[in-house]
Amino acid sequence: MIEQYVWDLHEVDETRVAVVGGKGAHLGELSRIDGIRVPGGFCVTTDAFRRIMAEAPSIDDRLDQLSRLNPDNREAVRRLSAEIRRTIEGIAIPGDLAAAITRALAQFGEQGAYAVRSSATAEDLPTASFAGQQDTYLNVVGPTAILQHVSRCWASLFTERAVIYRQRNGIDHRTVHMAVVVQQMVFPHAAGILFTADPVTGNRKVATVDAGFGLGEALVSGLVNPDVFKVRDGDVVAKAIAAKQRAVHALPDGGTQEVAIDSQRQEQPTLTDAQVVRLVRLGRRIEAHFGRPQDIEWCLVDGGFQIVQSRPITTLFPIPDIGDQENHVYVSVGHQQMMTDPMKPLGLSMWQLTAMVPMHEAGGRLFVDVTRRLASPASRAALLDVMGRGDPLVRDALETVLDHDDFVPSLPEEGPGGRPAGRASAPIETDPAIVTELIERSQVSTAVLERDIRTKTGPALFDFLLEAFEEHKRVVSDPLNIQAIMAGMEATWWLNDKLQEWLGEKNAADTLTLSAPDNVTSEMGLALLDVADVIRAQPEVVAFLRGVEDEGFLDELAKLAGGAEARDAIEAYLDRYGMRCVGEIDITRPRWRERPTTLVPVILDNVRNFEPGAAERRFEEGRQKAQKKEQDVLSRLRALPDGDQKADEAKRMIDRVRTFIGYREYPKYGIVSRYFVYKQALLEEAERLVHANVLPEKEDIFYLTFQELHDVVRSNQVDDQLIQQRKDAFRSYHALTPPRVLTSDGEAVSGAYRRDDVPAGALTGLPVSSGTIEGRARVIRDMAEADLEAGDILVTTFTDPSWSPLFVGIAGLVTEVGGLMTHGAVIAREYGLPAVVGVEQATRLIRDGQRIRVHGTDGYVEILP
């Protein structure tokens, strides 16, 4: 096969990424769209790049070294990538390749001016734009200069920033090849960037145009602030005209230079409103062709627009695909469940199949459509109240959407808004036997599931599971279950509201809930202290655990002095809590039983930081503090006017909180217990598929939905390409930040705290557990990497129940996500830890090791000098 080193832009389309790179393929595709003008040119193909790379075998060794480097080792990456660039630029372009490029130039004019642009095969992709990672050279004149700059583009595949970008995106350097686009230079009156969706809010109906005089390089390099126009439904709805003091212009003999703009022109709009609207209309045509919002580079030449690039906007959060044209408002499930990471397809579909309300997927996350609830005044008020108590940022985000004129339709009071989810139909007695009965019901249901699922395989397993999901939902939606949960929460709200009103005390219920009975999540943390007590007395076991890396370490333990007792203690813990893990709503996440090494750092922290008997002491201290607080509150209330009545009401509510608030944690435990049973059965099915050579590895089932997996088991056939696409998509979803509220227009609304009682420079959040604590911040994103000392303050993204074993060893808590009644908040109160949640970007704004002060009563965090 004879390599073709040069392709005209008109010869290529989106299917030719492997030949001409992402940029070249996009430009070729753009040139095919009716009414879109693209400057003429050609592509030097990846075959040419591969030939050049083959001329220098030494590059292979350097690529091996590069792939082994940590991307954070900037100095080594810089040195090695510079060596590779110098080698590539030093290779003489073979005669036949140089002749092919020169022949292509002759068709457009050898002495014309050209833009020489890098076009890598991993560039301008739907999931990673790679914008600015490789080089572009403007106004290059003459064949000799063109060839020299083609070499520079090849070499720019190994700029330091491109190398690090690939490493952090998990892309092998050897799999990426470089093509080069050589395009006729245009000398615009103005240039800039058009986003067919608002890049800040994500709104797909609002286009944003950035514009400046001269070449677009002035905007891209940050030399000038652009004029900014926003367009919706064919009208300019907002504009900001900047003072544009400088521009970049092309020089007659090649190259570019900065020039000053005449003072009279500096504040003139770069484009007229009519031109902006015309440009956006072209952008919508391009967007429709590619099927997703675009980031478009444009030039205004002789009164007409030319397009010099278009790439997907990869930072936008996707919109749930409902299939209608109605307005919708979605609330994030992950922010309620303390799991904002992306979920794999099996995890998403299993949660959807077992959830009590319909849920919609976008960006690997789940959302609930609350449009109908917002449309009716009665259900709207109830929804905002519940959301506001849980997470004020969600309430503020919903109110922001409601402020958009007519976005949410209005239904009459009697409209189908429905009663708010989670509201009990009637109060229940304050009777601990109710909690006992509910726990027993859940345990029996799980035991029956474990017994009956053992004999089910193949398609019969999936039929059985669909029935099991109905039982799952029946247990969760049991009216008594919901009443018990709400009784504890509503009593907590009542106490906080009334005791602040009567006694002027904030969050008094925080102390009153300490060491509440029947809290399976706080028991889980204390139980690991008991495990540490067994291990602490065995120095050989402690030393062994410090070096543990293999998941089979429990079998090795028994061979050590005291190891059998240590193993039995850990095994007993896993029997009770081994179904838990971080992000446990995603069934595909490895459970502690599957990956017990996760617990080892926490056990070792407990061995180091606590004395024997700590669990029992901690619980008893909390119980006594709560009892003392109750006596204090009641005696102060009795001293007030109508004090006896107020004290009696408060006593009833305290008893109610003590009876029911611990149970708040149990339903999730029951759900996750059932989940582990489902997962074990599905993984056994996956093993059979691997043995039958249907799947290469059993974890591949995680990238199929439940129904798709059912089909694979029935047919013994799988779409390998689909699984690979799902893996690529899942990897890309990690770069997306899910919003608390999302609209069908694509607007991502995170909400804001409307407060003026926070000191300057402090980080605002939601107060969920009273008290003030000062200490060392430990920024931990993975529980398995915990290394805590007594007095440390845990700073992390979110905490679901699996984090509670860490809570026994910390002095305070700060999270980016959370609400008043989410698990982390409940357990922080249970252990008496000052806690502030919902602190936006806490893990970025607080550095590991910094001293901070957490104001758990007032809801803010100070970073101390």
Side-chain angles (χ1 to χ4, degrees):
M1 178 182 167
I2 299 172
E3 286 95 347
Q4 184 175 343
Y5 293 127
V6 173
W7 289 45
D8 189 277
L9 273 179
H10 291 289
E11 294 181 280
V12 301
D13 58 24
E14 275 205 301
T15 66
R16 300 292 183 180
V17 171
V19 178
V20 297
K23 187 174 288 156
H26 259 65
L27 284 167
E29 192 73 32
L30 278 168
S31 68
R32 294 163 177 260
I33 304 173
D34 187 39
I36 303 300
R37 294 170 60 201
V38 176
F42 58 90
C43 301
V44 182
T45 67
T46 53
D47 280 340
F49 171 76
R50 273 188 283 264
R51 182 168 170 189
I52 292 297
M53 292 289 279
E55 297 278 329
S58 64
I59 288 178
D60 264 356
D61 292 336
R62 291 195 177 106
L63 286 178
D64 286 338
Q65 294 174 48
L66 202 57
S67 64
R68 290 193 293 268
L69 287 178
N70 186 316
D72 293 328
N73 187 350
R74 300 294 290 265
E75 184 54 44
V77 171
R78 185 178 301 122
R79 177 182 52 75
L80 204 50
S81 55
E83 286 177 19
I84 295 172
R85 288 198 306 277
R86 280 196 298 272
T87 301
I88 293 171
E89 288 185 41
I91 297 170
I93 297 178
D96 60 329
L97 175 50
I101 295 171
T102 307
R103 275 197 305 275
L105 272 177
Q107 296 178 35
F108 296 97
E110 279 193 4
Q111 295 308 312
Y114 293 86
V116 183
R117 315 172 70 190
S118 304
S119 180
T121 51
E123 186 174 6
D124 296 343
L125 305 177
T127 56
S129 74
F130 285 75
Q133 299 307 313
Q134 286 93 33
D135 290 347
T136 286
Y137 302 96
L138 300 177
N139 200 33
V140 181
V141 178
T144 302
I146 295 284
L147 291 171
Q148 181 185 33
H149 285 84
V150 166
S151 283
R152 288 183 180 175
C153 283
W154 286 330
S156 77
L157 188 63
F158 298 99
T159 61
E160 179 189 350
R161 62 184 182 273
V163 166
I164 290 171
Y165 190 98
R166 285 196 296 275
Q167 286 176 312
R168 290 193 170 147
N169 282 274
I171 296 170
D172 184 346
H173 302 302
R174 295 175 189 279
T175 64
V176 184
H177 304 290
M178 181 67 83
V180 181
V181 175
V182 180
Q183 212 174 358
Q184 286 181 300
M185 189 71 190
V186 292
F187 303 98
H189 162 74
I193 301 165
L194 158 64
F195 298 97
T196 63
D198 190 314
V200 177
T201 68
N203 194 318
R204 308 309 201 261
K205 293 187 176 177
V206 175
T208 301
V209 175
D210 290 2
F213 292 121
L215 294 167
E217 195 64 20
L219 269 61
V220 174
S221 64
L223 181 64
V224 297
N225 290 325
D227 293 343
V228 180
F229 303 85
K230 292 189 181 293
V231 176
R232 181 174 184 132
D233 298 330
D235 293 315
V236 176
V237 294
K239 58 183 166 183
I241 307 304
K244 301 167 288 295
Q245 296 176 336
R246 305 190 72 73
V248 174
H249 284 181
L251 294 169
D253 296 327
T256 61
Q257 71 172 12
E258 293 177 23
V259 296
I261 295 176
D262 185 275
S263 59
Q264 294 180 334
R265 288 183 65 216
Q266 286 181 7
E267 298 195 21
Q268 285 181 3
T270 318
L271 302 174
T272 66
D273 284 7
Q275 286 173 322
V276 170
V277 170
R278 181 153 50 95
L279 174 60
V280 169
R281 203 173 294 132
L282 292 174
R284 292 290 181 215
R285 191 176 297 176
I286 294 169
E287 178 185 64
H289 181 85
F290 288 115
R292 56 177 58 91
Q294 297 287 300
D295 163 356
I296 298 166
E297 295 175 26
W298 56 269
C299 296
L300 180 65
V301 185
D302 299 328
F305 289 104
Q306 296 202 34
I307 305 301
V308 295
Q309 183 55 303
S310 183
R311 60 175 69 91
I313 307 176
T314 58
T315 56
L316 297 176
F317 199 87
I319 307 169
D321 184 9
I322 299 294
D324 64 29
Q325 299 303 310
E326 303 295 318
N327 289 348
H328 294 274
V329 182
Y330 306 99
V331 171
S332 163
V333 172
H335 285 81
Q336 313 300 312
Q337 290 293 335
M338 297 298 93
M339 216 300 266
T340 54
D341 290 347
M343 296 167 67
K344 296 188 179 85
L346 185 63
L348 291 164
S349 63
M350 292 285 279
W351 195 259
Q352 287 171 308
L353 285 165
T354 53
M356 300 313 303
V357 294
M359 293 182 178
H360 309 282
E361 184 273 335
R365 279 80 168 187
L366 291 170
F367 294 84
V368 172
D369 188 343
V370 296
T371 318
R372 303 285 284 179
R373 299 268 298 280
L374 289 173
S376 169
S379 59
R380 179 192 313 141
L383 178 69
L384 291 175
D385 178 55
V386 169
M387 290 294 177
R389 285 185 181 276
D391 183 346
L393 293 177
V394 174
R395 177 177 182 138
D396 185 77
L398 289 171
E399 288 175 335
T400 300
V401 174
L402 287 168
D403 286 342
H404 297 347
D405 292 341
D406 302 325
F407 185 82
V408 177
S410 202
L411 294 173
E413 287 280 0
E414 299 76 26
R419 193 173 66 215
R423 286 288 181 180
S425 55
I428 54 174
E429 293 299 314
T430 303
D431 182 358
I434 293 173
V435 172
T436 304
E437 180 190 345
L438 284 166
I439 291 173
E440 285 177 357
R441 283 188 200 178
S442 177
Q443 289 173 338
V444 167
S445 176
T446 304
V448 170
L449 171 67
E450 288 176 326
R451 182 196 69 203
D452 292 349
I453 205 169
R454 287 182 194 135
T455 58
K456 306 297 188 292
T457 61
L461 170 65
F462 289 82
D463 295 336
F464 171 83
L465 282 172
L466 288 172
E467 292 178 16
F469 297 162
E470 293 308 308
E471 165 66 6
H472 180 123
K473 289 192 276 191
R474 188 196 65 73
V475 171
V476 173
S477 63
D478 182 338
L480 191 62
N481 180 51
I482 294 169
Q483 286 173 313
I485 293 169
M486 292 308 298
M489 290 168 63
E490 288 174 342
T492 303
W493 297 337
W494 188 95
L495 284 168
N496 279 336
D497 290 346
K498 289 297 184 182
L499 295 182
Q500 181 161 6
E501 178 189 337
W502 292 341
L503 299 176
E505 186 171 342
K506 288 183 180 178
N507 305 325
D510 291 0
T511 307
L512 294 166
T513 58
L514 290 173
S515 297
D518 301 310
N519 188 320
V520 70
T521 308
S522 64
E523 289 167 4
M524 178 169 68
L526 296 175
L528 208 58
L529 287 175
D530 291 335
V531 172
D533 285 353
V534 175
I535 289 169
R536 189 181 293 106
Q538 311 295 338
E540 200 175 330
V541 171
V542 173
F544 170 77
L545 289 177
R546 287 193 182 119
V548 158
E549 291 182 2
D550 182 71
E551 297 300 342
F553 74 93
L554 288 171
D555 294 332
E556 298 298 312
L557 261 183
K559 301 171 186 175
L560 306 175
E565 295 89 335
R567 182 198 60 194
D568 292 347
I570 296 172
E571 284 284 2
Y573 186 87
L574 291 172
D575 287 345
R576 176 94 164 109
Y577 304 110
M579 78 295 288
R580 310 218 80 152
C581 68
V582 173
E584 60 194 10
I585 69 169
D586 182 354
I587 199 171
T588 72
R589 290 282 190 111
R591 312 283 135 175
W592 291 343
R593 170 54 80 182
E594 297 168 309
R595 195 174 288 174
T597 53
T598 306
L599 294 173
V600 171
V602 191
I603 293 171
L604 290 172
D605 283 349
N606 288 348
V607 166
R608 185 175 68 244
N609 295 331
F610 291 93
E611 296 296 320
E616 189 176 344
R617 275 197 310 278
R618 287 285 295 268
F619 187 82
E620 182 56 27
E621 284 169 9
R623 195 185 66 76
Q624 289 183 13
K625 279 183 185 175
Q627 197 171 39
K628 185 178 176 185
K629 183 67 175 179
E630 176 182 332
Q631 292 167 352
D632 172 61
V633 163
L634 295 179
S635 66
R636 287 159 63 198
L637 286 174
R638 288 193 183 98
L640 299 175
D642 299 322
D644 287 344
Q645 182 184 339
K646 287 172 180 169
D648 289 346
E649 287 182 58
K651 173 61 175 165
R652 279 197 301 276
M653 286 300 175
I654 291 169
D655 290 346
R656 203 162 174 78
V657 164
R658 300 289 301 175
T659 299
F660 291 115
I661 200 63
Y663 180 71
R664 161 77 180 81
E665 292 294 297
Y666 196 86
K668 183 78 170 285
Y669 175 82
I671 289 169
V672 175
S673 297
R674 294 181 69 91
Y675 256 46
F676 193 40
V677 179
Y678 305 152
K679 181 179 187 179
Q680 288 171 307
L682 291 172
L683 282 175
E684 285 176 17
E685 207 57 44
E687 289 273 18
R688 281 188 277 275
L689 292 170
V690 171
H691 289 145
N693 295 318
V694 177
L695 288 175
E697 48 191 50
K698 64 181 182 180
E699 286 79 11
D700 282 351
I701 68 167
F702 297 160
Y703 297 93
L704 299 170
T705 66
F706 180 83
Q707 187 56 56
E708 288 167 347
L709 179 54
H710 192 177
D711 293 341
V712 169
V713 168
R714 263 200 302 253
S715 66
N716 266 355
Q717 292 182 316
V718 70
D719 183 345
D720 295 329
Q721 195 173 0
L722 174 66
I723 288 176
Q724 188 55 52
Q725 287 170 355
R726 295 274 176 78
K727 288 179 178 179
D728 293 342
F730 178 71
R731 193 162 43 242
S732 74
Y733 293 153
H734 282 89
L736 299 173
T737 301
R740 284 176 167 81
V741 171
L742 181 68
T743 74
S744 50
D745 283 355
E747 187 173 3
V749 193
S750 292
Y753 293 107
R754 313 291 176 180
R755 294 174 56 184
D756 54 11
D757 60 341
V758 175
L763 308 179
T764 307
L766 176 66
V768 296
S769 187
S770 294
T772 301
I773 194 71
E774 186 177 310
R776 179 179 69 156
R778 292 309 318 271
V779 180
I780 298 173
R781 293 180 176 84
D782 182 349
M783 182 178 156
E785 295 171 2
D787 180 17
L788 295 163
E789 300 284 350
D792 283 349
I793 296 168
L794 174 62
V795 180
T796 190
T797 313
F798 57 78
T799 57
D800 61 9
S802 69
W803 284 79
S804 64
L806 289 184
F807 283 24
V808 297
I810 59 175
L813 174 69
V814 179
T815 68
E816 294 180 346
V817 176
L820 195 61
M821 297 309 294
T822 49
H823 301 278
V826 171
I827 304 307
R829 290 193 291 273
E830 173 79 13
Y831 287 165
L833 301 174
V836 180
V837 302
V839 180
E840 295 282 86
Q841 298 190 353
T843 59
R844 294 178 201 161
L845 298 173
I846 300 171
R847 292 196 312 276
D848 186 50
Q850 275 187 318
R851 288 196 68 77
I852 61 173
R853 187 180 296 128
V854 177
H855 295 263
T857 306
D858 297 311
Y860 62 90
V861 180
E862 291 181 286
I863 299 175
L864 303 176

